[in-house]
Amino acid sequence: MIEPLVDVEKDFPIFRREVHGHSLVYLDSAATSQKPAVVLESMDRFYRQYNANVLRSVHTLAEEATQAYAAARDQVAAFIGANHPEEVIFTRGTTEGLNMVARGFGDLFVQPGDNIVLSPMEHHSNLIPWQQLAKRRGAVLNYVELEPDGSLSVDALNKAIGPKTRIVALSRVSNVLGSINPVAEAAELVHRYGGVMVVDGAQSVPHEPTRVSELGADFLAFSGHKMCGPTGIGVLWGRAQWLEMMEPVIYGGEMISYVDRETATWAELPHKFEGGTPNIAGAIGLASAIEYLTTIGLSRIQQHTLTLGERAYDALARVPGVSVYGPKHPHAGVVAFNVDRIHPHDLAQVFDAHGVAVRAGHHCAQPLMQWLGVGSTARASFYLYNGERDIERLVEAILEAKRFFQR
Ligand code: 7TS
């Protein structure tokens, strides 16, 4: 029996509560993870003891806050293997980071007739910004064809990426299929043609050791809230060379160097991209989440969620009437499924009555639903606080739902 990686009730206060009289089985970490007490405490400490705005005033509180904000950036840089902390831009999350790249970089880099390569499994956040960019610039979207099991092969990448490709934008891990995409191979191909590799790390950075150079990424976006951090904070990392030429998309305070009545010049990296008062508490919370995850070890977390994902895949596939999506192996800790003749929303409701939290819907991946030929799915997703007992509770809940709806 695989146990959770941590002392769940001690580290995560939320697991002390019950849902409809049952202990909570939280299988919705792909939507957002739960938060350890150390993260909540770090943010509480900021607001109680040194709350001030950053990068402007010289009083003690402001200096402490500015220092903590800068230290958070250093921690993120070390966590993803960035060469310089200046390459780390704090955003609201993955969505904002990808939109910034499409606008601030894509508008300059993509010419009419160029192509942008995507996969049909992309989250809408890594799809619509590129659709809109293609419309603005007269570029063409090229889709990498998926294999029958939903995996993405290097052969297919070879077919989709060519001399006109300026941008390849792929998720490292699908939020539906649990597939793990060969991003480094895609990067190598696009670099041959002088294009750039944009990686959506929303589902991978929380679950595997990340080194931007090993990914071959030019840009990497991810969200704090899926990796034990708070909502409203995320990261866009970019290679300095590209960030230098990229235009800011948010204009205002603290992002300028000089302003007169008619014109303005931009501040140095990373401040050029962080107009306005940033999410200071969020950055502090994210740094504390990184410390927490690092102490446990990203390799251990990766092994744990992979094992749970594959065991859940097998356990669900054995239940009569259940279809499971995505490749069997390797399969990350995200498992989408359907049960014959039961709508995923009805399933999720029965599960909830048993204390089991999953997501049902299109998972912000409608083109993928079209590829799968379904309107929606249920989805269980796993993290370090889950164990094999949670898979058993999920299977019991499916059997309950089948009994309930067959009545
Ligand atoms: N990319 C992927 C692969 C994602 O899974 C998500 C969020 C995003 C981008 C957007 O992240 P955000 O933090 O900016 O919202 N995915 C999900 C999900 O699967 N269920 O809820 C949110």
Side-chain angles (χ1 to χ4, degrees), residues 30-31 93-95 123 125 173 175 200 202-203 223 225-226 359 379:
T94 309
T95 303
H123 187 280
S125 299
V173 170
N175 70 320
D200 172 350
Q203 298 294 349
S223 301
H225 69 94
K226 294 187 203 287
R359 182 174 172 191
R379 180 190 69 183

Side-chain angles (χ1 to χ4, degrees), residues 114-379:
D114 285 348
N115 69 55
I116 301 168
V117 172
L118 304 171
S119 90
M121 75 174 80
E122 298 312 311
H123 187 280
H124 296 163
S125 299
N126 195 32
L127 192 83
I128 305 168
W130 308 115
Q131 288 179 347
Q132 294 300 109
L133 168 63
K135 281 186 193 155
R136 287 195 301 276
R137 300 297 300 147
V140 178
L141 300 178
N142 263 10
Y143 281 89
V144 186
E145 285 311 323
L146 303 182
E147 301 304 309
D149 68 354
S151 58
L152 200 154
S153 71
V154 176
D155 264 1
L157 286 172
N158 253 307
K159 287 191 187 121
I161 300 171
K164 290 198 155 200
T165 305
R166 300 301 275 159
I167 295 179
V168 177
L170 293 175
S171 50
R172 164 71 176 156
V173 170
S174 158
N175 70 320
V176 178
L177 299 171
S179 42
I180 303 169
N181 293 325
V183 162
E185 288 80 351
E188 202 189 313
L189 280 171
V190 70
H191 288 155
R192 246 184 248 168
Y193 300 113
V196 301
M197 183 72 219
V198 179
V199 181
D200 172 350
Q203 298 294 349
S204 68
V205 173
H207 292 271
E208 65 179 14
T210 299
R211 291 285 167 272
V212 285
S213 57
E214 285 169 23
L215 281 177
D218 293 280
F219 294 97
L220 169 73
F222 57 99
S223 301
H225 69 94
K226 294 187 203 287
M227 49 187 283
C228 292
T231 50
I233 187 82
V235 171
L236 172 65
W237 168 87
R239 277 168 52 183
Q241 149 198 16
W242 302 128
L243 292 176
E244 291 291 354
M245 73 177 252
M246 177 165 143
E247 279 289 312
V249 290
I250 301 290
Y251 303 107
E254 295 303 323
M255 54 76 66
I256 54 84
S257 163
Y258 173 80
V259 185
D260 62 27
R261 286 192 177 199
E262 306 300 333
T263 58
T265 56
W266 312 142
E268 298 284 299
L269 293 178
H271 306 294
K272 150 171 120 166
F273 296 109
E274 293 184 4
T277 298
N279 183 355
I280 308 161
I284 290 169
L286 175 58
S288 150
I290 286 176
E291 225 172 273
Y292 179 77
L293 296 176
T294 308
T295 304
I296 295 156
L298 267 291
S299 296
R300 282 181 69 210
I301 293 170
Q302 177 183 31
Q303 200 48 56
H304 184 72
T305 52
L306 265 172
T307 307
L308 288 178
E310 293 188 0
R311 295 226 176 165
Y313 187 105
D314 291 339
L316 296 186
R318 275 197 301 268
V319 180
V322 173
S323 319
V324 190
Y325 305 104
K328 194 170 153 64
H329 178 78
H331 194 103
V334 179
V335 186
F337 61 97
N338 266 311
V339 180
D340 266 0
R341 294 189 298 277
I342 307 179
H343 194 280
H345 281 123
D346 295 332
L347 263 185
Q349 206 137 27
V350 174
F351 291 1
D352 182 59
H354 293 84
V356 177
V358 300
R359 182 174 172 191
H362 55 60
H363 313 293
C364 306
Q366 287 187 4
L368 179 58
M369 296 296 119
Q370 292 149 17
W371 184 86
L372 289 170
V374 299
S376 57
T377 78
R379 180 190 69 183

